[in-house]
Amino acid sequence: MIQIAITDDHTIVIEGIKNMLKSNKEIEVLQSFENLKDTFENLNDSVEVLLLDINLPDGNGINACKELLEKHKDLKIIALTNFEDSIFIKQILKNGAMGYLLKNTSKTELTEAIKEVNNGNRYLPKKISDILLNDSIGIENSSYFIPKLTSREKEILALIIKEYTTDEIANELFVSNKTVESHRSNLMQKLGVKNSAGLVRVAFEKGLV
């Protein structure tokens, strides 16, 4: 039986996956987590496949994917998300994920993906493969405004993505905390988000990093 874990900050998603798989004799949901901190601290070594959300309250799954695989060498990771942008897909695959599923996936597709990646094979649904193909030949999958950032805003955004605190950013760039918060506020306004987690998500979505 394949032992899996789920990291998603929405209980309804976790319970939905558990219900989808509860009658499956080949797959068992061994653990579930609602944030990255708990995942890093408590992920059992017997877990073979982790379903990992990209946008989490204490960080992003794209960066966490690489770190988790460094810690758990035999782990297989499948991104589980609502985001269909090629930037997300390519980045998390580059960081070691073996699959990429949308949260509206079917029971059949979810089961197939878990089995495939557990066997060491990559799994991408047709829709995701088509997005990557279109991107490779220059066909845009979606159109959206990409804001122009100042060089200082780009520096601060890069440090936010690395999970630097305000104090750490201020020390790194030799500016005041007030200056950092001012730039952070400008970034959130430009990218249309409410917090740092949103900044990270949209930065990847719009290819700003």
Side-chain angles (χ1 to χ4, degrees), residues 2 107 110 114 137 157 162 197:
I2 304 170
K107 178 179 178 180
L110 176 62
I114 291 170
I137 59 179
L157 179 60
K162 291 180 180 178

Side-chain angles (χ1 to χ4, degrees), residues 96-108:
M98 294 294 289
Y100 195 102
L101 290 176
L102 299 175
K103 288 186 178 180
N104 61 358
T105 186
S106 67
K107 178 179 178 180
T108 300

Side-chain angles (χ1 to χ4, degrees), residues 5 8-9 13 17 28 46-48 52 55-56 60-61 63 65 68-69 71 87 103 123 131 136 138-139 163 186 189:
D8 195 290
D9 61 329
V13 173
I17 294 172
E28 178 185 11
S46 62
V47 169
E48 297 164 278
L52 179 63
N55 189 25
L56 291 157
N60 71 83
N63 289 343
C65 178
L68 283 165
L69 292 173
K71 185 176 180 181
I87 294 294
K103 288 186 178 180
Y123 187 92
I131 289 172
S136 70
I139 299 176
E163 301 181 14
N186 289 339
Q189 184 176 9

Side-chain angles (χ1 to χ4, degrees), residues 160-178:
I160 290 172
I161 289 170
K162 291 180 180 178
E163 301 181 14
Y164 277 48
T165 65
T166 296
D167 286 340
E168 289 170 337
I169 294 173
N171 290 334
E172 180 77 13
L173 300 180
F174 304 103
V175 296
S176 69
N177 286 23
K178 185 176 180 180

Side-chain angles (χ1 to χ4, degrees), residues 12-47:
I12 192 170
V13 173
I14 293 175
E15 294 304 317
I17 294 172
K18 287 180 177 179
N19 286 332
M20 288 173 72
L21 297 173
K22 66 181 179 181
S23 61
N24 193 300
K25 303 301 182 183
E26 300 174 277
I27 301 170
E28 178 185 11
V29 180
L30 188 66
Q31 294 178 294
S32 61
F33 309 100
E34 295 186 5
N35 56 64
L36 290 173
K37 181 177 183 293
D38 289 345
T39 306
F40 276 103
E41 291 180 355
N42 301 304
L43 185 65
N44 195 303
D45 285 333
S46 62
V47 169

Side-chain angles (χ1 to χ4, degrees), residues 30-150:
L30 188 66
Q31 294 178 294
S32 61
F33 309 100
E34 295 186 5
N35 56 64
L36 290 173
K37 181 177 183 293
D38 289 345
T39 306
F40 276 103
E41 291 180 355
N42 301 304
L43 185 65
N44 195 303
D45 285 333
S46 62
V47 169
E48 297 164 278
V49 178
L50 172 65
L51 302 178
L52 179 63
D53 192 8
I54 282 180
N55 189 25
L56 291 157
D58 57 345
N60 71 83
I62 294 175
N63 289 343
C65 178
K66 186 175 182 179
E67 296 173 22
L68 283 165
L69 292 173
E70 289 172 353
K71 185 176 180 181
H72 303 274
K73 304 297 184 183
D74 297 324
L75 183 67
K76 307 293 193 306
I77 292 178
I78 298 174
L80 185 67
T81 178
N82 289 319
F83 300 113
E84 302 178 15
D85 193 272
S86 61
I87 294 294
F88 284 104
I89 302 168
K90 289 189 291 185
Q91 191 64 44
I92 200 163
L93 292 178
K94 180 181 177 182
N95 283 356
M98 294 294 289
Y100 195 102
L101 290 176
L102 299 175
K103 288 186 178 180
N104 61 358
T105 186
S106 67
K107 178 179 178 180
T108 300
E109 186 174 67
L110 176 62
T111 302
E112 183 182 355
I114 291 170
K115 289 180 179 178
E116 280 294 309
V117 302
N118 188 60
N119 288 330
N121 303 314
R122 193 180 299 282
Y123 187 92
L124 298 175
K126 184 179 185 304
K127 183 173 186 178
I128 300 302
S129 296
D130 287 345
I131 289 172
L132 291 177
L133 176 60
N134 288 342
D135 184 76
S136 70
I137 59 179
I139 299 176
E140 292 186 8
N141 295 292
S142 59
S143 59
Y144 45 72
F145 171 70
I146 299 178
K148 185 175 181 180
L149 304 182
T150 66

